[in-house]
Amino acid sequence: MASEFKTNMNDNPLSRLAGAYLAALRTYIERNSQAGLLVAHELGRRAVALGLETLDLSKIHIHALVTLTLQDGSADARDDMTSRATLFFTEAITPIEETHLHAQEASADLDELNATLKQRTLDLADSQRELQQGITERKSAEAALKQSAAHSTQLLDDSRRLEAHLQDITREILTANEVERKKMSHQLQDEIAQALLGIHMQMLALKKDVAASNSDLAKEIAVTQRLVDESVKVITRLAREFGIPHEK
């Protein structure tokens, strides 16, 4: 280190800093003034600007102190010089220590930021899972709704087909009743026609025989009356069987 300073004292920023440090330390030791400590603090700021650490500045300090102690070899002078140099060095490394403190604080802030980012990442992952679950549930609900709609449509179609079938059955029943009524009407008409035909034939016979005998006329009339009675009974019976009101 000493040889480096001797050969490269003014060749680079580090050498220039070492030379300035030596001169400032000598001045402070000789005068022991507060201004010298301000100069030490400024040298520390220059060291920070050069990217030096405490160990680097301590090497510069030791080199300067050795140089100065070699110039004054008395023990008392060395002790006094060492004591004052310690104060100078303490002030010189303050900017570096402050930089370390800021670095520590920045590191703590970075750790906190990383922790926050990690938590945000976890929260985002949870949100994404909840969103995916919501999407899955929505798709399931849509599928269930579509299935329900299809089922409802099927039920509606079945209901319409059943209604149409019932209408067909009703028409068939009405048609069958109509056929039955027509059948009953034809049967009734036939029986009435036969009865009336019998009455008509009897009346014709009465007209021919009315002059022959009164007793025979009475018999014929009685027979005719019975025919009429039988016709009325037949009509009444048929009307009762088929639920048709009988008009008197």
Side-chain angles (χ1 to χ4, degrees), residues 30-226:
E30 292 175 351
R31 299 178 183 179
N32 192 23
S33 63
Q34 187 66 29
L37 295 179
L38 295 176
V39 174
H41 189 83
E42 182 61 28
L43 290 171
R45 291 171 61 87
R46 288 175 60 181
V48 171
L50 292 175
L52 301 182
E53 296 292 341
T54 303
L55 180 61
D56 299 322
L57 193 57
S58 68
K59 291 179 180 180
I60 294 175
H61 174 76
I62 292 172
H63 176 266
L65 184 60
V66 169
T67 301
L68 294 176
T69 55
L70 289 176
Q71 295 175 0
D72 191 347
S74 65
D76 292 338
R78 286 197 299 271
D79 290 341
D80 182 64
M81 187 182 299
T82 302
S83 177
R84 294 182 183 183
T86 300
L87 294 176
F88 188 89
F89 178 72
T90 300
E91 187 64 28
I93 65 173
T94 299
I96 298 178
E97 297 300 324
E98 290 178 349
T99 302
H100 290 168
L101 178 61
H102 293 327
Q104 292 175 357
E105 292 176 351
S107 178
D109 292 339
L110 181 60
D111 291 340
E112 183 178 357
L113 181 60
N114 287 334
T116 302
L117 180 61
K118 182 178 181 180
Q119 184 61 43
R120 294 290 177 82
T121 302
L122 294 176
D123 294 341
L124 179 60
D126 292 339
S127 299
Q128 289 177 342
R129 282 193 296 269
E130 292 178 358
L131 178 61
Q132 186 62 39
Q133 183 178 0
I135 293 174
T136 302
E137 292 177 353
R138 179 176 59 81
K139 289 183 178 179
S140 298
E142 290 177 352
L145 183 60
K146 290 180 180 179
Q147 184 177 2
S148 177
H151 183 62
S152 299
T153 302
Q154 183 63 38
L155 290 177
L156 181 59
D157 293 341
D158 293 343
S159 176
R160 288 174 177 172
R161 285 194 294 270
L162 179 59
E163 181 181 1
H165 183 60
L166 291 175
Q167 291 176 352
D168 292 340
I169 293 176
T170 301
R171 283 193 295 269
E172 291 178 1
I173 293 174
L174 293 176
T175 301
N177 290 341
E178 183 65 23
V179 172
E180 189 66 25
R181 285 195 297 270
K182 289 181 180 180
K183 179 179 178 181
M184 176 206 66
S185 177
H186 292 160
Q187 183 178 358
L188 182 60
Q189 290 176 4
D190 291 343
E191 293 191 13
I192 292 175
Q194 291 177 4
L196 293 177
L197 180 60
I199 295 173
H200 180 68
M201 296 302 295
Q202 291 295 328
M203 293 298 294
L204 290 176
L206 286 174
K207 287 181 180 180
K208 293 179 179 180
D209 298 335
V210 68
S213 174
N214 290 333
S215 59
D216 292 336
L217 179 59
K219 292 179 180 179
E220 293 295 333
I221 291 174
V223 172
T224 302
Q225 185 65 43
R226 284 195 301 272

Side-chain angles (χ1 to χ4, degrees), residues 184 187-189 191-192 195 227-248:
M184 176 206 66
Q187 183 178 358
L188 182 60
Q189 290 176 4
E191 293 191 13
I192 292 175
L227 289 175
V228 173
D229 291 340
E230 290 296 329
S231 297
V232 172
K233 290 178 180 180
V234 170
I235 293 173
T236 302
R237 177 176 60 79
L238 292 175
R240 186 183 303 112
E241 289 178 358
F242 291 98
I244 300 177
H246 176 65
E247 296 182 0
K248 295 183 180 180

Side-chain angles (χ1 to χ4, degrees), residues 9-21:
M9 184 62 68
N10 295 314
D11 293 342
N12 55 61
L14 180 60
S15 297
R16 290 194 292 271
L17 176 64
Y21 191 93

